[in-house]
Amino acid sequence: MKFDFTGLLKNEMKPALGVTEVGAIALAAARAYAAVGGKLQEIRMVMNGGMYKNAFSCAIPGTQELGCNMAAALGALGGDWTLGLEVLKNITAAHVAEAKTLQIPMDIKADETKEGIYILAEIRTSEGVGVCRIEDFHANIVFVAKNDTVLFQAEQTKAAEQQHAFDFEAVTVADMVDYAKTVPIAELSCVKEMIAMNCALSAEGEKGVGLQIWKTLAAFRNRGAVGDDMIYAAQRLTCSAMDARLAGLPFPAMSIVGSGSHGILCSMPVVSYGRFAGKTEEEIIRGVALSCLITIFSKHYTGRLSALCGCVLGGGSGAAAGIVLLMGGGAKEASAAMDHMAANLTGMICDGGSIGCALKASAGVYAAYLSAMLAMEGIAIPHNFGVIGSSAEQTEKNLGRISDEGMAPMDSTIIDVMQKGK
């Protein structure tokens, strides 16, 4: 069976400025405001729990501000909805100052009955009410209205059909490895762009923002307590990009499955290993391509927003497989590495996008390298141990069950903790 992996990669990769949940909230507000115009009088917004959670403590790109309310206000005041998830690209200090002094009713809340991505924005102005609804994907606007006039309405099932058009049930790790090894390199231009964009973001992060994990590692390296090895290099490249993104620097990440953090973690560790091992640019691109496909495959089952940390489990599993490919391994070793990641870090929660995500990413980098090294030494977790299935593909399906069935109440608890602030 032939799979359109190239089309899948292109569909799932998008530049994103800041955490994608913040971008999606701003996008909905910007589109709703653009539908009506006039002087802002009220902002009302309802979203699914995962969207609310991920944006709750998240930095707004290009500002020193945080959270859902500020994202909505800035989207309405100065966002350009035509830029998609880069909606806040042209925000100025004047917009921020206006948003901070905005004295209008704002009601932004989570609707935990919504299982998928969902945002309903209603912007009341001197000219009436603008409405925008986003569903299924972060930038997927499905409804726009001005007062009682519908300006745009997409097919209600279009996004869902697009999501399920790819036959994930039939695809195997071997199929993805074969594609990464043999696809004409010209078809992977989007992967090349991802590498360039995320490396540029990492360079900005190294200037000193967020938790600055790499500086602490460097300090202990200088004391002889940490080695100057391939894992150190990978944590530096990866965590610097995470610091830049989560601290709100005004530079985009190349997202995958709707997440810039996933895009960073599935690309930077692979790039770092490739450079450390002296691999060619083409070899590195192919390794990242496999990582991206494994990440997409994993997230198909665990969901785009969940109580599990998809950045580490999805992006980290992809990175482990991509590193295996650069080490000379094939589908057998990539599958073993994916199982190692599941045996190691399943259960790591997602408590929203914040600078603390860089800590999770650091753990994910180490786990990905260890998983790849074990696999290349011929070591594999036995099948049907714990969450590990009869195959790597089944393991990912098992993680989906854990995310959907086992940890669904976790999101409600996390959101409750956030809202109460205790």
Side-chain angles (χ1 to χ4, degrees), residues 282-354:
E282 178 174 330
E283 288 173 319
I284 293 172
I285 290 172
R286 292 184 183 279
V288 174
L290 175 60
S291 179
C292 289
L293 289 174
I294 295 295
T295 301
I296 295 168
F297 181 81
S298 175
K299 293 297 292 182
H300 170 73
Y301 293 104
T302 60
R304 289 173 182 254
L305 297 174
S306 73
L308 289 175
C309 177
C311 172
V312 166
L313 275 175
S317 295
I323 293 166
V324 160
L325 191 68
L326 292 181
M327 288 179 169
K332 178 181 177 181
E333 292 79 14
S335 295
M338 292 166 64
D339 281 344
H340 292 152
M341 289 295 294
N344 188 352
L345 294 178
T346 296
M348 181 181 281
I349 66 168
C350 171
D351 58 346
S354 72

Side-chain angles (χ1 to χ4, degrees), residues 68-347:
C68 305
N69 284 32
M70 184 58 66
L74 287 174
L77 289 170
D80 182 350
W81 72 270
T82 66
L83 298 178
L85 292 178
E86 293 187 275
V87 58
L88 299 179
K89 184 176 183 178
N90 299 319
I91 290 294
T92 66
H95 290 126
V96 175
E98 186 178 1
K100 291 174 72 172
T101 58
L102 198 61
Q103 295 184 354
I104 62 171
M106 292 188 68
D107 182 18
I108 297 181
K109 58 189 178 183
D111 180 352
E112 295 182 46
T113 67
K114 301 294 183 182
E115 295 183 357
I117 291 174
Y118 178 90
I119 306 173
L120 176 64
E122 296 182 1
I123 307 292
R124 183 177 298 279
T125 76
S126 56
E127 301 299 316
V129 178
V131 178
C132 172
R133 190 170 74 247
I134 288 175
E135 293 183 6
D136 297 306
F137 305 104
H138 288 74
N140 188 48
I141 295 172
V142 298
F143 181 84
V144 181
K146 175 182 179 180
N147 297 322
D148 295 326
T149 302
V150 175
L151 304 181
F152 170 76
Q153 185 164 9
E155 292 288 336
Q156 292 297 307
T157 59
K158 183 177 180 181
E161 288 173 356
Q162 179 185 349
Q163 184 178 14
H164 295 292
F166 192 88
D167 191 359
F168 286 98
E169 291 296 320
V171 74
T172 66
V173 174
D175 293 326
M176 292 182 274
V177 169
D178 182 65
Y179 168 84
K181 286 183 174 181
T182 61
V183 62
I185 196 64
E187 291 190 30
L188 297 179
S189 58
C190 59
V191 177
K192 185 176 181 179
E193 184 182 356
M194 167 185 264
I195 292 170
M197 185 176 292
N198 291 346
C199 283
L201 185 64
S202 179
E204 294 297 331
E206 279 203 19
K207 296 176 182 178
V209 292
L211 294 181
Q212 302 182 62
I213 290 173
W214 80 266
K215 284 191 174 182
T216 296
L217 291 173
F220 278 84
R221 182 201 62 187
N222 292 337
R223 298 171 198 168
V226 174
D228 191 4
D229 57 20
M230 63 181 184
I231 297 177
Y232 166 81
Q235 287 181 320
R236 177 170 183 160
L237 188 68
T238 306
C239 293
S240 294
M242 291 289 288
D243 276 335
R245 177 174 184 265
L246 294 158
L249 293 191
F251 303 95
M254 183 63 80
S255 70
I256 193 163
V257 290
S259 169
S261 291
H262 288 54
I264 290 168
L265 195 56
C266 82
S267 60
M268 295 295 90
V270 183
V271 171
S272 185
Y273 177 78
R275 291 174 176 177
F276 186 91
K279 300 297 181 179
T280 65
E281 180 187 40
E282 178 174 330
E283 288 173 319
I284 293 172
I285 290 172
R286 292 184 183 279
V288 174
L290 175 60
S291 179
C292 289
L293 289 174
I294 295 295
T295 301
I296 295 168
F297 181 81
S298 175
K299 293 297 292 182
H300 170 73
Y301 293 104
T302 60
R304 289 173 182 254
L305 297 174
S306 73
L308 289 175
C309 177
C311 172
V312 166
L313 275 175
S317 295
I323 293 166
V324 160
L325 191 68
L326 292 181
M327 288 179 169
K332 178 181 177 181
E333 292 79 14
S335 295
M338 292 166 64
D339 281 344
H340 292 152
M341 289 295 294
N344 188 352
L345 294 178
T346 296

